[in-house]
Amino acid sequence: MDSYDKELEQKVPDFEEKQDTHSKEISNLNISSAAYSTQIRGWKQTVGIIAVAIFVIGLWELLVRVLNVPDFILPPPSKIIVALVTSFPNIYQHLLFTLAELVSGYLIGAAVGLIMAAVLTQMPFIEKIITPYILILVTTPTIALVPLLMLYWGFGIGPRIFAVALATGPMVMINATTGFRRTDLAKIALAKSYGASTFQIFYKIRFPLALPMINVGLLVGGIFGLITAVGSDMVGGKIGLGNRISYYASLARMSNFFAIILLVALIGISIWIIMTIVGNKTTNWSE
Amino acid sequence: MVKDIIVENVSKTYDSDRGPVEAVKNFSMEVEKGDFVAIVGPSGCGKTTLLWGLTGLHPFTSGKAIILDKIVDKPRQSVGIVFQQANLLPWRNLIQNIYFPLEIMGKNIKEYKSKIQDLIKSVGLDGFENHHPRELSGGMQQRASIIRALSFDPQILLMDEPFGALDAYTRDEMDTLILELWEKTQKTIVFVTHRIEEAVYLANKVYVMTARPGTNSAIFNIDLPRPRPEGITMEMRYFNIVAEIKRKIVEDVEKQKKEGKYKSQAYSTIT
């Protein structure tokens, strides 16, 4: 079981601090490094970010009004807000539906991905055989499978949850795998010198060591899950935020269209914020 | 006297990319209860390999090692280990790091608490219990790791160049500290170092190893008063012993060179 057992028998760990030696691996997408480099520090930065937002939105409003751009091409931000507020009672059920499919698909996918990563990293041979297939799942947009899934299971929430799980799971798994592979032989030797069991080594050493990468996987998985949820809504059925996007676009009701886009963006930002908070709370020791 | 550690003709051969490497060959040693023994030798001579063999983490290829009447075949709770680096877990604060062995062994922390608190105080770490390792200096981290090794009250302490990563001043402080701890706790200590000065200052007995493959070269009984008087490291009798051991090591290396057996450190992957 313990792949490091043999290694430990053969060599004395070098006690060098291992700083992200694995970060070059494919699983570490650019998004993930961005996630941890964009922590806001200081009021100047905050003011700057808000100033840019005000400037862009103001310029948008101004140009659309001065140049008399018709609403069906690009509505001004003010009309988008109005559309969001007035149509919210109608959008509400679509929002809840998409959130339900996102959250359930995410939880299933993340749980399966985490467990698979934890188990497979204990079995290096099987891991090597399975990894290419996981890569296929990561690189193939799962959304492409949704028409097929809907053909099998209809236009309900089931196939969409499945699609979200299929988008989230491999992302969580591949990042968590990188984390679990980050075995610090010196720390494992330490635990072993006290007679630690495989399970103790897992949850007292390997899991905390893997946590930073697991958090990255949970964040990236969440974003991919959102993309897949909205995309699945677009494929079929009459409900969900994605469905509303297609619907309003087909009617050229661009203010409503952008209102939905705004909602989707807010969900994405919430995922980001939640995962950043979770990351800071669970891995405040790293850095 | 009771022999806490008996090592008989142990050898250790590694597999490496360039074929098998003989790190330790037919090394023997005996350590009495409560004794302080140091092992010195040129870089890459297998001192660390020897010590890791004694921990049970890193079995010898041949020979026999007995600790407290039991053959060493796995890590035991009678042995505490201090590594080259403090090797603290960065996600735990100082006191949680010190309790880590007790947690793994499933012991009742309450029973050890007051003894541990005493130790923490004696190394001057009181008040830092809630600090995380990154907030502590290298010397403080290593002190914490020594207390961690003592937390479950093992009879034997194995120390693998524990102060090698520290600066010269901190090292001297730590040497004094470890002697105080030894006098207080009466542990049996095996201390690996490449610094002969340190070995002579600390130990009752210094085992000298040859260059690789590491084997017995000589044993020096250090005839200096206990507890070590202040300023002993600046006295002639201290220097004489240090010089004698150094001479012996240089002699060994010259002899091995003449026989064409000396492998320079450039080949060494394991010290």
Side-chain angles (χ1 to χ4, degrees), chain B residues 186-211:
Chain B
Q186 300 290 309
K187 303 289 176 196
T188 308
I189 299 183
V190 178
F191 191 101
V192 159
T193 177
H194 61 258
R195 249 180 86 218
I196 295 149
E197 292 85 348
E198 187 175 46
V200 173
Y201 177 67
L202 293 175
N204 288 333
K205 211 184 228 183
V206 176
Y207 278 79
V208 179
M209 282 178 95
T210 63

PDB file of all heavy atoms in Angstrom, chain B residues 186-211:
ATOM      1  N   GLN B 186      18.541  12.446  32.265  1.00  0.00           N
ATOM      2  CA  GLN B 186      19.247  11.167  32.353  1.00  0.00           C
ATOM      3  C   GLN B 186      18.972  10.236  31.178  1.00  0.00           C
ATOM      4  O   GLN B 186      18.965   9.022  31.325  1.00  0.00           O
ATOM      5  CB  GLN B 186      18.872  10.435  33.653  1.00  0.00           C
ATOM      6  CG  GLN B 186      19.207  11.216  34.908  1.00  0.00           C
ATOM      7  CD  GLN B 186      20.701  11.312  35.154  1.00  0.00           C
ATOM      8  OE1 GLN B 186      21.398  10.309  35.147  1.00  0.00           O
ATOM      9  NE2 GLN B 186      21.198  12.520  35.320  1.00  0.00           N
ATOM     10  N   LYS B 187      18.728  10.812  30.003  1.00  0.00           N
ATOM     11  CA  LYS B 187      18.487   9.973  28.824  1.00  0.00           C
ATOM     12  C   LYS B 187      19.801   9.384  28.308  1.00  0.00           C
ATOM     13  O   LYS B 187      20.881   9.912  28.596  1.00  0.00           O
ATOM     14  CB  LYS B 187      17.863  10.795  27.690  1.00  0.00           C
ATOM     15  CG  LYS B 187      16.578  11.499  28.048  1.00  0.00           C
ATOM     16  CD  LYS B 187      15.449  10.516  28.220  1.00  0.00           C
ATOM     17  CE  LYS B 187      14.196  11.248  28.668  1.00  0.00           C
ATOM     18  NZ  LYS B 187      13.183  10.340  29.198  1.00  0.00           N
ATOM     19  N   THR B 188      19.669   8.328  27.524  1.00  0.00           N
ATOM     20  CA  THR B 188      20.811   7.789  26.800  1.00  0.00           C
ATOM     21  C   THR B 188      20.819   8.467  25.429  1.00  0.00           C
ATOM     22  O   THR B 188      19.836   8.397  24.716  1.00  0.00           O
ATOM     23  CB  THR B 188      20.654   6.265  26.606  1.00  0.00           C
ATOM     24  OG1 THR B 188      20.383   5.685  27.876  1.00  0.00           O
ATOM     25  CG2 THR B 188      21.896   5.669  25.981  1.00  0.00           C
ATOM     26  N   ILE B 189      21.935   9.136  25.102  1.00  0.00           N
ATOM     27  CA  ILE B 189      21.940   9.904  23.860  1.00  0.00           C
ATOM     28  C   ILE B 189      23.006   9.411  22.893  1.00  0.00           C
ATOM     29  O   ILE B 189      24.152   9.171  23.287  1.00  0.00           O
ATOM     30  CB  ILE B 189      22.159  11.411  24.148  1.00  0.00           C
ATOM     31  CG1 ILE B 189      21.030  11.959  25.036  1.00  0.00           C
ATOM     32  CG2 ILE B 189      22.245  12.203  22.837  1.00  0.00           C
ATOM     33  CD1 ILE B 189      21.105  13.446  25.315  1.00  0.00           C
ATOM     34  N   VAL B 190      22.596   9.208  21.636  1.00  0.00           N
ATOM     35  CA  VAL B 190      23.555   8.970  20.561  1.00  0.00           C
ATOM     36  C   VAL B 190      23.472  10.171  19.632  1.00  0.00           C
ATOM     37  O   VAL B 190      22.400  10.495  19.127  1.00  0.00           O
ATOM     38  CB  VAL B 190      23.253   7.680  19.779  1.00  0.00           C
ATOM     39  CG1 VAL B 190      24.252   7.509  18.644  1.00  0.00           C
ATOM     40  CG2 VAL B 190      23.300   6.479  20.709  1.00  0.00           C
ATOM     41  N   PHE B 191      24.612  10.817  19.442  1.00  0.00           N
ATOM     42  CA  PHE B 191      24.617  12.114  18.787  1.00  0.00           C
ATOM     43  C   PHE B 191      25.559  12.045  17.584  1.00  0.00           C
ATOM     44  O   PHE B 191      26.763  11.851  17.728  1.00  0.00           O
ATOM     45  CB  PHE B 191      25.123  13.147  19.797  1.00  0.00           C
ATOM     46  CG  PHE B 191      24.964  14.574  19.393  1.00  0.00           C
ATOM     47  CD1 PHE B 191      23.924  15.344  19.906  1.00  0.00           C
ATOM     48  CD2 PHE B 191      25.859  15.177  18.514  1.00  0.00           C
ATOM     49  CE1 PHE B 191      23.785  16.684  19.554  1.00  0.00           C
ATOM     50  CE2 PHE B 191      25.712  16.516  18.154  1.00  0.00           C
ATOM     51  CZ  PHE B 191      24.675  17.269  18.678  1.00  0.00           C
ATOM     52  N   VAL B 192      25.002  12.178  16.382  1.00  0.00           N
ATOM     53  CA  VAL B 192      25.824  12.158  15.172  1.00  0.00           C
ATOM     54  C   VAL B 192      26.175  13.587  14.784  1.00  0.00           C
ATOM     55  O   VAL B 192      25.316  14.462  14.791  1.00  0.00           O
ATOM     56  CB  VAL B 192      25.065  11.466  14.014  1.00  0.00           C
ATOM     57  CG1 VAL B 192      25.645  11.862  12.670  1.00  0.00           C
ATOM     58  CG2 VAL B 192      25.111   9.963  14.185  1.00  0.00           C
ATOM     59  N   THR B 193      27.451  13.822  14.509  1.00  0.00           N
ATOM     60  CA  THR B 193      27.847  15.166  14.088  1.00  0.00           C
ATOM     61  C   THR B 193      29.109  15.064  13.242  1.00  0.00           C
ATOM     62  O   THR B 193      29.831  14.075  13.309  1.00  0.00           O
ATOM     63  CB  THR B 193      28.096  16.082  15.299  1.00  0.00           C
ATOM     64  OG1 THR B 193      28.540  17.351  14.839  1.00  0.00           O
ATOM     65  CG2 THR B 193      29.128  15.507  16.246  1.00  0.00           C
ATOM     66  N   HIS B 194      29.362  16.059  12.398  1.00  0.00           N
ATOM     67  CA  HIS B 194      30.657  16.069  11.721  1.00  0.00           C
ATOM     68  C   HIS B 194      31.593  17.064  12.402  1.00  0.00           C
ATOM     69  O   HIS B 194      32.734  17.226  12.014  1.00  0.00           O
ATOM     70  CB  HIS B 194      30.494  16.382  10.231  1.00  0.00           C
ATOM     71  CG  HIS B 194      29.888  17.718   9.972  1.00  0.00           C
ATOM     72  ND1 HIS B 194      28.556  17.872   9.622  1.00  0.00           N
ATOM     73  CD2 HIS B 194      30.405  18.949  10.021  1.00  0.00           C
ATOM     74  CE1 HIS B 194      28.297  19.152   9.490  1.00  0.00           C
ATOM     75  NE2 HIS B 194      29.389  19.831   9.727  1.00  0.00           N
ATOM     76  N   ARG B 195      31.067  17.736  13.442  1.00  0.00           N
ATOM     77  CA  ARG B 195      31.900  18.713  14.137  1.00  0.00           C
ATOM     78  C   ARG B 195      32.553  18.061  15.354  1.00  0.00           C
ATOM     79  O   ARG B 195      31.881  17.787  16.354  1.00  0.00           O
ATOM     80  CB  ARG B 195      31.048  19.895  14.569  1.00  0.00           C
ATOM     81  CG  ARG B 195      31.379  21.168  13.797  1.00  0.00           C
ATOM     82  CD  ARG B 195      30.512  22.303  14.265  1.00  0.00           C
ATOM     83  NE  ARG B 195      31.073  22.977  15.423  1.00  0.00           N
ATOM     84  CZ  ARG B 195      30.336  23.433  16.424  1.00  0.00           C
ATOM     85  NH1 ARG B 195      29.037  23.260  16.431  1.00  0.00           N
ATOM     86  NH2 ARG B 195      30.916  24.060  17.431  1.00  0.00           N
ATOM     87  N   ILE B 196      33.849  17.823  15.235  1.00  0.00           N
ATOM     88  CA  ILE B 196      34.564  17.129  16.307  1.00  0.00           C
ATOM     89  C   ILE B 196      34.513  17.938  17.608  1.00  0.00           C
ATOM     90  O   ILE B 196      34.350  17.386  18.697  1.00  0.00           O
ATOM     91  CB  ILE B 196      36.009  16.841  15.870  1.00  0.00           C
ATOM     92  CG1 ILE B 196      35.953  15.857  14.692  1.00  0.00           C
ATOM     93  CG2 ILE B 196      36.831  16.252  16.988  1.00  0.00           C
ATOM     94  CD1 ILE B 196      37.067  16.016  13.718  1.00  0.00           C
ATOM     95  N   GLU B 197      34.645  19.258  17.493  1.00  0.00           N
ATOM     96  CA  GLU B 197      34.598  20.129  18.677  1.00  0.00           C
ATOM     97  C   GLU B 197      33.311  19.893  19.471  1.00  0.00           C
ATOM     98  O   GLU B 197      33.323  19.812  20.695  1.00  0.00           O
ATOM     99  CB  GLU B 197      34.651  21.609  18.265  1.00  0.00           C
ATOM    100  CG  GLU B 197      35.966  22.060  17.667  1.00  0.00           C
ATOM    101  CD  GLU B 197      36.062  21.795  16.172  1.00  0.00           C
ATOM    102  OE1 GLU B 197      35.198  21.054  15.629  1.00  0.00           O
ATOM    103  OE2 GLU B 197      36.999  22.304  15.538  1.00  0.00           O
ATOM    104  N   GLU B 198      32.216  19.769  18.735  1.00  0.00           N
ATOM    105  CA  GLU B 198      30.913  19.566  19.355  1.00  0.00           C
ATOM    106  C   GLU B 198      30.876  18.201  20.043  1.00  0.00           C
ATOM    107  O   GLU B 198      30.427  18.082  21.193  1.00  0.00           O
ATOM    108  CB  GLU B 198      29.836  19.646  18.265  1.00  0.00           C
ATOM    109  CG  GLU B 198      28.415  19.618  18.762  1.00  0.00           C
ATOM    110  CD  GLU B 198      27.417  19.831  17.618  1.00  0.00           C
ATOM    111  OE1 GLU B 198      27.580  19.190  16.558  1.00  0.00           O
ATOM    112  OE2 GLU B 198      26.488  20.636  17.785  1.00  0.00           O
ATOM    113  N   ALA B 199      31.377  17.185  19.344  1.00  0.00           N
ATOM    114  CA  ALA B 199      31.359  15.828  19.889  1.00  0.00           C
ATOM    115  C   ALA B 199      32.140  15.762  21.200  1.00  0.00           C
ATOM    116  O   ALA B 199      31.690  15.176  22.185  1.00  0.00           O
ATOM    117  CB  ALA B 199      31.941  14.861  18.860  1.00  0.00           C
ATOM    118  N   VAL B 200      33.328  16.384  21.207  1.00  0.00           N
ATOM    119  CA  VAL B 200      34.185  16.337  22.400  1.00  0.00           C
ATOM    120  C   VAL B 200      33.529  17.087  23.559  1.00  0.00           C
ATOM    121  O   VAL B 200      33.571  16.645  24.707  1.00  0.00           O
ATOM    122  CB  VAL B 200      35.578  16.920  22.087  1.00  0.00           C
ATOM    123  CG1 VAL B 200      36.418  17.043  23.355  1.00  0.00           C
ATOM    124  CG2 VAL B 200      36.287  16.044  21.064  1.00  0.00           C
ATOM    125  N   TYR B 201      32.913  18.208  23.238  1.00  0.00           N
ATOM    126  CA  TYR B 201      32.264  18.998  24.281  1.00  0.00           C
ATOM    127  C   TYR B 201      31.095  18.237  24.912  1.00  0.00           C
ATOM    128  O   TYR B 201      30.912  18.259  26.126  1.00  0.00           O
ATOM    129  CB  TYR B 201      31.775  20.321  23.688  1.00  0.00           C
ATOM    130  CG  TYR B 201      31.013  21.180  24.673  1.00  0.00           C
ATOM    131  CD1 TYR B 201      31.663  21.752  25.769  1.00  0.00           C
ATOM    132  CD2 TYR B 201      29.653  21.421  24.509  1.00  0.00           C
ATOM    133  CE1 TYR B 201      30.974  22.537  26.676  1.00  0.00           C
ATOM    134  CE2 TYR B 201      28.957  22.204  25.413  1.00  0.00           C
ATOM    135  CZ  TYR B 201      29.606  22.762  26.491  1.00  0.00           C
ATOM    136  OH  TYR B 201      28.927  23.520  27.382  1.00  0.00           O
ATOM    137  N   LEU B 202      30.348  17.527  24.072  1.00  0.00           N
ATOM    138  CA  LEU B 202      29.112  16.910  24.555  1.00  0.00           C
ATOM    139  C   LEU B 202      29.305  15.530  25.169  1.00  0.00           C
ATOM    140  O   LEU B 202      28.760  15.233  26.230  1.00  0.00           O
ATOM    141  CB  LEU B 202      28.109  16.782  23.396  1.00  0.00           C
ATOM    142  CG  LEU B 202      27.538  18.063  22.809  1.00  0.00           C
ATOM    143  CD1 LEU B 202      26.674  17.720  21.603  1.00  0.00           C
ATOM    144  CD2 LEU B 202      26.708  18.810  23.850  1.00  0.00           C
ATOM    145  N   ALA B 203      30.093  14.675  24.500  1.00  0.00           N
ATOM    146  CA  ALA B 203      29.974  13.242  24.755  1.00  0.00           C
ATOM    147  C   ALA B 203      30.957  12.719  25.791  1.00  0.00           C
ATOM    148  O   ALA B 203      31.988  13.330  26.079  1.00  0.00           O
ATOM    149  CB  ALA B 203      30.159  12.487  23.445  1.00  0.00           C
ATOM    150  N   ASN B 204      30.610  11.548  26.348  1.00  0.00           N
ATOM    151  CA  ASN B 204      31.536  10.809  27.188  1.00  0.00           C
ATOM    152  C   ASN B 204      32.479   9.989  26.327  1.00  0.00           C
ATOM    153  O   ASN B 204      33.585   9.667  26.730  1.00  0.00           O
ATOM    154  CB  ASN B 204      30.768   9.832  28.092  1.00  0.00           C
ATOM    155  CG  ASN B 204      30.021  10.556  29.182  1.00  0.00           C
ATOM    156  OD1 ASN B 204      30.420  11.648  29.588  1.00  0.00           O
ATOM    157  ND2 ASN B 204      28.939   9.968  29.639  1.00  0.00           N
ATOM    158  N   LYS B 205      31.960   9.601  25.158  1.00  0.00           N
ATOM    159  CA  LYS B 205      32.665   8.650  24.324  1.00  0.00           C
ATOM    160  C   LYS B 205      32.435   9.079  22.881  1.00  0.00           C
ATOM    161  O   LYS B 205      31.299   9.376  22.513  1.00  0.00           O
ATOM    162  CB  LYS B 205      32.036   7.274  24.556  1.00  0.00           C
ATOM    163  CG  LYS B 205      32.976   6.111  24.418  1.00  0.00           C
ATOM    164  CD  LYS B 205      32.168   4.843  24.573  1.00  0.00           C
ATOM    165  CE  LYS B 205      32.805   3.857  25.530  1.00  0.00           C
ATOM    166  NZ  LYS B 205      32.029   2.610  25.592  1.00  0.00           N
ATOM    167  N   VAL B 206      33.518   9.122  22.088  1.00  0.00           N
ATOM    168  CA  VAL B 206      33.367   9.499  20.682  1.00  0.00           C
ATOM    169  C   VAL B 206      33.780   8.333  19.793  1.00  0.00           C
ATOM    170  O   VAL B 206      34.909   7.857  19.881  1.00  0.00           O
ATOM    171  CB  VAL B 206      34.195  10.758  20.337  1.00  0.00           C
ATOM    172  CG1 VAL B 206      34.101  11.071  18.848  1.00  0.00           C
ATOM    173  CG2 VAL B 206      33.727  11.952  21.157  1.00  0.00           C
ATOM    174  N   TYR B 207      32.845   7.851  18.975  1.00  0.00           N
ATOM    175  CA  TYR B 207      33.153   6.816  17.991  1.00  0.00           C
ATOM    176  C   TYR B 207      33.559   7.505  16.691  1.00  0.00           C
ATOM    177  O   TYR B 207      32.839   8.346  16.192  1.00  0.00           O
ATOM    178  CB  TYR B 207      31.922   5.943  17.716  1.00  0.00           C
ATOM    179  CG  TYR B 207      31.712   4.865  18.742  1.00  0.00           C
ATOM    180  CD1 TYR B 207      31.135   5.167  19.965  1.00  0.00           C
ATOM    181  CD2 TYR B 207      32.100   3.548  18.485  1.00  0.00           C
ATOM    182  CE1 TYR B 207      30.934   4.171  20.918  1.00  0.00           C
ATOM    183  CE2 TYR B 207      31.904   2.551  19.424  1.00  0.00           C
ATOM    184  CZ  TYR B 207      31.326   2.864  20.641  1.00  0.00           C
ATOM    185  OH  TYR B 207      31.143   1.882  21.580  1.00  0.00           O
ATOM    186  N   VAL B 208      34.731   7.119  16.164  1.00  0.00           N
ATOM    187  CA  VAL B 208      35.163   7.685  14.892  1.00  0.00           C
ATOM    188  C   VAL B 208      34.905   6.654  13.799  1.00  0.00           C
ATOM    189  O   VAL B 208      35.232   5.477  13.951  1.00  0.00           O
ATOM    190  CB  VAL B 208      36.664   8.050  14.921  1.00  0.00           C
ATOM    191  CG1 VAL B 208      37.102   8.610  13.578  1.00  0.00           C
ATOM    192  CG2 VAL B 208      36.928   9.057  16.036  1.00  0.00           C
ATOM    193  N   MET B 209      34.284   7.121  12.722  1.00  0.00           N
ATOM    194  CA  MET B 209      34.036   6.245  11.574  1.00  0.00           C
ATOM    195  C   MET B 209      35.008   6.591  10.458  1.00  0.00           C
ATOM    196  O   MET B 209      35.426   7.737  10.328  1.00  0.00           O
ATOM    197  CB  MET B 209      32.603   6.416  11.059  1.00  0.00           C
ATOM    198  CG  MET B 209      31.551   5.709  11.882  1.00  0.00           C
ATOM    199  SD  MET B 209      29.895   6.031  11.235  1.00  0.00           S
ATOM    200  CE  MET B 209      29.656   4.596  10.197  1.00  0.00           C
ATOM    201  N   THR B 210      35.336   5.603   9.622  1.00  0.00           N
ATOM    202  CA  THR B 210      36.176   5.872   8.453  1.00  0.00           C
ATOM    203  C   THR B 210      35.298   6.419   7.335  1.00  0.00           C
ATOM    204  O   THR B 210      34.081   6.374   7.422  1.00  0.00           O
ATOM    205  CB  THR B 210      36.826   4.583   7.944  1.00  0.00           C
ATOM    206  OG1 THR B 210      35.775   3.704   7.524  1.00  0.00           O
ATOM    207  CG2 THR B 210      37.646   3.920   9.023  1.00  0.00           C
ATOM    208  N   ALA B 211      35.956   6.927   6.283  1.00  0.00           N
ATOM    209  CA  ALA B 211      35.202   7.335   5.108  1.00  0.00           C
ATOM    210  C   ALA B 211      34.530   6.108   4.507  1.00  0.00           C
ATOM    211  O   ALA B 211      34.847   4.983   4.873  1.00  0.00           O
ATOM    212  CB  ALA B 211      36.106   8.000   4.088  1.00  0.00           C
TER     213      ALA B 211
END
